Amino acid sequence: MKKNQLNILGLPFDDKSTFMKGTAKAPQKIREVLHDGSSNYMSETGFNITQDIELNDQGDLNITDYHQIAALINQKIDLNHPSIFLGGDHSIIFPIAMAMNQVHEAFDILHFDAHADIYDHFEGDKFSHACPFARIMEAGFVHRLVSVGIRNMSPHLETQAKKFGIEVVMMKDIDEMKVLHFQNPLYISIDLDALDPAFAPGVSHYEPGGMSTRQIIQIIHQIKTPVIGADIVELNPDRDSSGITAALAAKLLKELAGIIIRNK
C-alpha cells in the first residue's frame, strides 16, 4: 500500500431525493472550490492535502442503476485505501457501505445529519435518501452507528433507532455530548443539512437550529480512531447562490483528509 494514498470519487446521483433535485451537480462544485485558489490546501490539523497525501481523484461514477453503485465503486477504486465520496443525495451511503463491507469486515459509522434517515420506507421507496441507514443496519454492515445533530425525529424514527440500537445525539443535547470514542475503524458520513442553514444554505431541506461549522470541525478533530472513509452529501448547488456551502464542503474535505493522515 502506498503511503498516505487517498481516493476521491464523485457520485453525482439524486434520483432518490424526495423534496428537490440538484445534488447530482455537487461533486464538481466541491472540486471547483477546492482547487480555485480561494484558499490553500492546508487542513487545520497541519497537513497539506496535496503534499502530505497522494490524492487519487477518480472523477465521477456514471450511475444509471442505483443497485449497481456498490459494484461500480469496487471496480473504480481500491477500498484498501481511505476514500472520500462526494455526493449526491444521502441514498448513496447504503451502496457505499455495501462496498466498504466487502473490504472492511468491522467498522463503525459516525453520521452527521438533521435527519436520522432510518425510515423503513419513504413515499413507497425503501431506498429513498430518507432510508439508507435502515438498510445498512438491516444488512449488518456496521457494528456501531452514531447519528449526531438530529432534530427531526418522528415516533416511527424513534422506534427504528431503538430497533437497530442506533446512538442518536439530538441537536438539543449536543452541548452535553461527550467526546466520541470508537473501537473499530471509522467511516464518517456528513449530510450538510446537519449544519444550521445559516452556515449551509445550499441544501434541499432547511432544518433551522443545527450545528455551526466550528462545532462539526471540533467533533471531527476529536476523533482518534483510524478513518477508512467518508462522504459529504446533499449539497444542492441550485440553492447555493453565494457558493458558501460548496466552500464549506471543500473545507470539510480538507479536514477529513487531515484526520485520515493523522490517525493512520
Side-chain angles (χ1 to χ4, degrees):
M1 181 182 293
K2 294 181 179 179
K3 183 179 180 180
N4 291 339
Q5 184 171 341
L6 172 65
N7 299 312
I8 304 290
L9 184 64
L11 280 72
F13 181 84
D14 60 9
D15 289 5
K16 298 297 184 179
S17 296
T18 53
F19 174 64
M20 182 182 294
K21 305 294 185 185
T23 59
K25 303 173 185 177
Q28 201 53 42
K29 285 293 182 182
I30 297 172
R31 290 188 182 92
E32 287 174 10
V33 176
L34 181 65
H35 299 301
D36 69 5
S38 61
S39 182
N40 61 30
Y41 292 109
M42 293 299 300
S43 72
E44 292 188 18
T45 47
F47 297 100
N48 183 311
I49 69 165
T50 62
Q51 296 177 4
D52 298 318
I53 196 164
E54 183 182 344
L55 282 179
N56 180 26
D57 191 338
Q58 290 294 308
D60 295 341
L61 286 185
N62 180 20
I63 301 170
T64 58
D65 181 351
Y66 176 78
H67 298 285
Q68 293 300 315
I69 292 176
L72 291 173
I73 290 170
N74 276 318
Q75 292 168 14
K76 191 75 170 179
I77 58 175
D78 181 358
L79 291 175
N80 287 295
H81 301 296
S83 305
I84 297 179
F85 302 92
L86 307 178
D89 69 40
H90 216 164
S91 70
I92 65 171
I93 181 59
F94 175 54
I96 289 172
M98 184 184 299
M100 298 290 291
N101 180 254
Q102 295 176 26
V103 178
H104 302 278
E105 293 183 358
F107 65 97
D108 300 329
I109 293 181
L110 172 59
H111 164 217
F112 294 97
D113 209 321
H115 315 96
D117 291 353
I118 49 174
Y119 281 96
D120 181 60
H121 60 85
F122 194 81
E123 297 180 346
D125 186 359
K126 293 181 74 73
F127 299 98
S128 163
H129 70 160
C131 306
F133 290 99
R135 304 289 83 79
I136 287 170
M137 300 307 287
E138 284 174 349
F141 289 154
V142 300
H143 284 238
R144 181 185 178 199
L145 171 59
V146 181
S147 297
V148 177
I150 310 302
R151 50 194 186 276
N152 192 330
M153 286 287 278
S154 68
H156 169 69
L157 296 176
E158 291 176 352
T159 298
Q160 288 283 89
K162 291 177 182 177
K163 172 184 173 181
F164 294 123
I166 298 168
E167 299 169 49
V168 177
V169 180
M170 298 295 292
M171 188 62 211
K172 65 182 180 64
D173 302 320
I174 201 162
D175 288 342
E176 285 74 49
M177 185 180 77
K178 297 179 180 179
V179 174
L180 294 170
H181 299 283
F182 294 90
Q183 299 300 314
N184 298 303
L186 186 65
Y187 182 96
I188 301 173
S189 184
I190 301 177
D191 184 326
L192 291 170
D193 68 29
L195 288 99
D196 192 276
F199 296 93
V203 297
S204 298
H205 297 266
Y206 292 158
E207 291 288 349
M211 303 175 74
S212 71
T213 302
R214 180 47 49 192
Q215 281 178 308
I216 194 169
I217 290 174
Q218 182 174 338
I219 294 171
I220 291 169
H221 285 176
Q222 290 172 343
I223 294 166
K224 303 303 181 185
T225 303
V227 176
I228 58 174
D231 61 63
I232 302 169
V233 300
E234 296 288 355
L235 166 65
N236 189 336
D238 292 341
R239 303 192 90 180
D240 195 29
S241 58
S242 69
I244 189 63
T245 318
L248 166 63
K251 167 74 170 178
L252 292 174
L253 190 158
K254 290 191 292 185
E255 297 312 314
L256 290 167
I259 66 162
I260 286 170
I261 301 170
R262 186 196 68 189
N263 294 7
K264 182 168 176 157

